[in-house]
Amino acid sequence: MGNQWHDIWNRRTASDELLAGDWQDVFLRLKELNGFDVVDGGIPLSSLLAQYERTKELLRLSAGQSVFEVGCGAGANLYLFARDGIAVGGTDYAAPLIDAARRVLPGARELSCGEADSLSTAQKYDAALANSVFSYFPDEDFAARVLTRMCEKTRGAIGLIDLHDVEKKQAFHDYRVATVPDYEKRYKGLDKLFYAHAFFEDFAQAHGLRAEFPAIEMDGYWNTPFVFHCFMYRK
């Protein structure tokens, strides 16, 4: 990931008080730490929980199994999986976010801080997940290395959520300029990586996987029109 994004994510911290209380409140605070707008008219809790249930279904996970998340941030998604009796592990390159994840997930198998393309593949999981992470990668070569690690990390499905669609790149830019004051100035140097579906189809074919692109509805999330989701399965 670019250095400017790295600096932004490493400035996000959470106090013990922020991570205490009702599980729904803790989950929303973790999501907010991960960069999601969940306050003052942001994504409603019901939409986030519906997305989680659909993701769990697509990853073919149930209690007693395990999932590893690349770019887990503060552990919001893993927090829900753990509540459902699924063993969890994750990695993120922002040390303060991993610290928060360790506090809310004391029973995690592993929570490491480092670059996604060098994550350890020693421990294996039943599924692997990356949510709104691949668009922060520097280029497709980096993304391919991360996908290779995810293949080695899991015995089962791989889920990639919120991949920015190259066919929607101009529409995304126009929307952001229209809705964010001084967008060009505020986000200078903070580019996102946009993908074609074919990138994931080609990777899947080369690694003996089947790629699917399911629609996941996310009411209240402004980014939905500009992204797609990819799930890969062993043949």
Side-chain angles (χ1 to χ4, degrees), residues 34 76 133 177 204:
N34 284 357
V133 172
V177 168

Side-chain angles (χ1 to χ4, degrees), residues 144-182:
R145 293 197 299 273
V146 175
L147 280 172
T148 299
R149 292 277 181 170
M150 293 177 77
C151 285
E152 296 171 353
K153 191 73 174 173
T154 176
R155 297 177 286 263
I158 295 171
L160 309 173
I161 297 174
D162 286 0
L163 301 162
H164 276 77
D165 192 339
V166 69
E167 295 185 2
K168 308 292 181 58
K169 186 173 183 178
Q170 188 60 52
F172 172 86
H173 176 268
D174 293 346
Y175 176 85
R176 296 293 274 166
V177 168
T179 57
V180 179
D182 299 322

Side-chain angles (χ1 to χ4, degrees), residues 50-137:
Q51 184 190 58
Y52 162 71
E53 291 295 340
R54 179 63 172 149
T55 299
K56 184 173 66 171
E57 176 186 357
L58 288 167
L59 289 175
R60 301 171 179 175
L61 287 172
S62 57
Q65 294 185 296
S66 59
V67 63
F68 184 89
E69 184 173 9
V70 173
C72 65
N77 299 318
L78 298 180
Y79 183 71
L80 294 185
F81 282 114
R83 281 181 52 82
D84 280 344
I86 296 169
V88 300
T91 187
D92 198 278
Y93 78 162
L97 295 183
I98 283 294
D99 177 66
R102 287 172 176 154
R103 279 182 279 161
V104 297
L105 296 165
R109 286 186 178 180
E110 56 181 327
L111 288 168
S112 63
C113 183
E115 289 288 354
D117 67 338
S118 59
L119 67 91
S120 170
T121 59
Q123 291 199 57
K124 307 301 180 184
Y125 292 76
D126 293 306
L129 171 69
N131 185 355
S132 300
V133 172
F134 270 60
S135 295
Y136 293 100
F137 291 165

Side-chain angles (χ1 to χ4, degrees), residues 24-44:
Q24 292 101 328
D25 292 334
V26 172
F27 169 67
L28 287 174
R29 291 170 190 141
L30 294 173
K31 272 293 186 181
E32 189 175 6
L33 283 170
N34 284 357
F36 289 88
D37 180 10
V38 298
V39 297
D40 298 330
I43 310 171

